[in-house]
Amino acid sequence: MASESCASAPEDSVRTVSPCGRGDRPVAAAPGASPVRSVVASPRPLKGKGGREAAKRRLQLPGAPAEGPADAAEEPLVPVPEEGEAQPLPPVCASPMRGLWRDEKVALYCDQVLQGCKAEDADEAMSKYLSEKLKLKDKWLGVWKTNPELFFVKYEEASIPFVGILVEVTCKPRQSSSSCFKVTISVAEPFSSNIANIPRDLVEEILEEVEHSVPLLEVYPVEGQDSEIRDIALALEVVRFFYDFLWRDWDDEESCENYTALIEERINLWCDIQDGTIPGPIAQRFKKTLEKYKHKRVELIEYQSNIKEDPSAAEAVECWKKYYEIVMLCGLLKMWEDLRLRVHGPFFPRILRRRKGKRDFGKTITHIVAKVMTTDMVKDLSADTLLQQHDDLDLALDSCYSGDTVVIFPGEYQAVNLSLLTDDITIKGCWC
């Protein structure tokens, strides 16, 4: 399956899963376009014409010292000409998934895409869904987001989360029902990237090495094209979300009488995390468990692939150790997916916070939540009211004792601690 061969990545970085295992005009930079900047990195040496000169070049921030081999230190670095720098990337289509309600997500995946299929047929269902959408338009413009390791031999991960290139995409029909989704791409004009000083020659050579064919899910359609492209963008997000959050590697290994019901539970779990029904700290624990599970599974696959012959006793022990660690994480994730265990199960922190009760001196406090406090804001309160001002709602809730009042004035606040309250308090909103 696709998810076996791919490690999880940040939201804005490359995803390499695919369903089977996992425009015609230039687009100018527009408001909201991805920022472009120079970075410190060592690009892969080019093999073709001009490769020797390009190998000496090192991408660098203005004024930053370049790092390279000792034998290159005596020669001056060759700067990238300003006129050859990449333009900023145009904005990609906003994710329509963010605006879908819980019921709409369930209807989309369970009724429209999966249509009651079994887990072992989920890949094919995703492939069929994408195929129908790709028939709407065979050529369009998109941003190819891929792993920096494809372009650079040395770089700082924080400075280059992904390499993005503006490309023209050509979709071709699948050769068979089991074919991976690949699309043909070429560099679009004007040459645009999230990295200003990336050599265009390097990009062209990389595309030649991969025969201009890349995984479809690495490409994000850009804004300003036909309505059909927005439909394709939605379909790509549907498939990405499925493999990022809804799919589990064990799904097609176990008997499940109603797979769409299981998907519905996972959608509800995701929505509960998003809307705060599941407390923030607990949601973070689940996300970390899921990421750790994916990482450990990829780690085991890579470890097994590096064993050339029959494993030694030490290698066999290490394989079993990694396997049982995955089994433990798998069990934890399965417990999470049972709706009955969300609140009453072992993951909910019933002893996370005890009741504070009344204060030692028996008084209650009114907590004012506002970025800035004025005397006019509390003019209606009695003269003997004890006040405490906070610019953070979570801090106010954490400071409450039984009987306290929290008055919230207009503003934007995060309230992770709201679902963890144990004391009886009054919360009011003030619009004056």
Side-chain angles (χ1 to χ4, degrees):
M1 303 299 292
S3 49
E4 291 183 356
S5 59
C6 306
S8 60
E11 183 176 356
D12 60 350
S13 62
V14 59
R15 296 183 178 90
T16 55
V17 293
S18 63
C20 66
R22 165 117 159 141
D24 302 324
R25 61 182 186 282
V27 176
S34 300
V36 60
R37 66 187 202 132
S38 299
V39 296
V40 177
S42 299
R44 280 183 43 183
L46 295 177
K47 299 177 181 178
K49 184 178 180 181
R52 179 178 302 176
E53 297 300 324
K56 297 177 183 177
R57 182 163 51 206
R58 293 295 181 268
L59 303 184
Q60 57 183 334
L61 289 167
E67 296 183 5
D71 57 355
E74 298 179 357
E75 298 185 25
L77 297 173
V78 181
V80 180
E82 292 185 2
E83 61 271 15
E85 288 197 342
Q87 299 297 311
L89 290 172
V92 299
C93 293
S95 173
M97 290 289 294
R98 299 178 185 271
L100 295 181
W101 295 94
R102 182 186 304 242
D103 292 343
E104 291 175 321
K105 286 188 176 71
V106 171
L108 175 61
Y109 281 98
C110 298
D111 301 333
Q112 183 177 343
V113 181
L114 297 176
Q115 298 181 359
C117 74
K118 296 181 179 180
E120 55 266 31
D121 299 323
D123 274 346
E124 183 58 30
M126 286 291 152
S127 298
K128 182 179 178 181
Y129 170 74
L130 260 185
S131 296
E132 293 300 319
K133 296 298 181 181
L134 293 176
K135 292 177 182 178
L136 297 174
K137 198 86 170 182
D138 59 353
K139 285 191 176 183
W140 38 275
L141 291 172
V143 173
W144 176 39
K145 295 184 180 182
T146 190
N147 196 318
E149 292 181 359
L150 195 62
F151 290 86
F152 306 117
V153 295
K154 184 178 181 181
Y155 64 95
E156 295 181 2
E157 293 184 10
S159 66
I160 314 179
F162 67 91
V163 172
I165 306 292
L166 179 65
V167 295
E168 182 179 69
V169 181
T170 302
C171 302
K172 297 180 179 180
R174 287 188 298 160
Q175 299 300 316
S176 68
S177 60
S178 61
S179 296
C180 291
F181 269 108
K182 294 271 190 174
V183 288
T184 301
I185 63 172
S186 58
V187 177
E189 299 296 341
F191 177 55
S192 306
S193 175
N194 61 328
I195 301 174
N197 53 345
I198 187 170
R200 178 165 184 161
D201 290 345
L202 177 61
V203 175
E204 295 284 6
E205 182 169 285
I206 295 298
L207 289 180
E208 289 182 7
E209 288 182 5
V210 300
E211 298 180 344
H212 290 264
S213 181
V214 301
L216 173 60
L217 296 186
E218 291 186 6
V219 186
Y220 297 73
V222 302
E223 286 280 10
Q225 302 182 81
D226 299 339
S227 59
E228 290 87 351
I229 305 304
R230 296 194 64 84
D231 291 339
I232 292 176
L234 172 59
L236 291 173
E237 285 301 311
V238 167
V239 177
R240 289 189 190 107
F241 179 73
F242 178 80
Y243 286 106
D244 284 348
F245 193 88
L246 301 181
W247 171 257
R248 302 288 185 268
D249 296 292
W250 62 78
D251 282 355
D252 57 353
E253 300 171 0
E254 300 181 359
S255 176
C256 182
E257 295 181 359
N258 192 342
Y259 184 60
T260 53
L262 179 60
I263 292 299
E264 181 175 354
E265 287 187 5
R266 290 173 183 166
I267 292 174
N268 286 328
L269 174 60
W270 184 84
C271 291
D272 287 346
I273 291 174
Q274 295 301 112
D275 62 21
T277 301
I278 293 179
I282 312 305
Q284 288 300 320
R285 190 186 305 175
F286 167 75
K287 290 179 180 178
K288 288 181 180 179
T289 303
L290 181 58
E291 291 303 318
K292 186 176 182 181
Y293 168 81
K294 292 180 178 180
H295 174 75
K296 292 294 183 181
R297 188 172 180 92
V298 172
E299 190 179 275
L300 173 61
I301 294 173
E302 291 178 348
Y303 185 81
Q304 291 174 327
S305 64
N306 290 329
I307 300 177
K308 304 302 181 182
E309 301 176 353
D310 292 337
S312 64
E315 289 173 332
V317 169
E318 186 64 21
C319 282
W320 279 108
K321 180 181 176 181
K322 293 179 181 297
Y323 172 75
Y324 278 116
E325 194 171 6
I326 291 173
V327 170
M328 292 292 292
L329 293 170
C330 173
L332 292 175
L333 291 171
K334 288 181 179 179
M335 294 176 71
W336 265 95
E337 293 174 2
D338 189 332
L339 291 172
R340 294 168 297 178
L341 295 177
R342 301 255 184 95
V343 175
H344 305 292
F347 290 96
F348 195 83
R350 283 176 281 183
I351 318 178
L352 183 63
R353 180 179 297 181
R354 299 189 180 194
R355 288 178 61 89
K356 293 180 180 179
K358 297 288 185 179
R359 283 185 177 80
D360 294 339
F361 56 87
K363 298 288 187 177
T364 60
I365 290 179
T366 297
H367 302 268
I368 305 297
V369 182
K371 300 300 181 182
V372 179
M373 183 178 175
T374 65
T375 55
D376 190 60
M377 295 166 63
V378 295
K379 63 182 179 179
D380 295 330
L381 299 177
S382 61
D384 61 345
T385 302
L386 298 178
L387 298 177
Q388 191 173 348
Q389 187 262 333
H390 310 269
D391 59 4
D392 182 274
L393 179 54
D394 268 334
L395 183 59
L397 296 173
D398 195 52
S399 303
C400 283
Y401 283 75
S402 182
D404 283 0
T405 298
V406 177
V407 181
I408 305 175
F409 284 82
E412 294 184 6
Y413 308 95
Q414 298 292 328
V416 175
N417 291 340
L418 187 61
S419 55
L420 300 178
L421 287 173
T422 55
D423 292 280
D424 51 323
I425 66 172
T426 302
I427 301 177
K428 299 179 180 179
C430 184
W431 305 101
C432 55

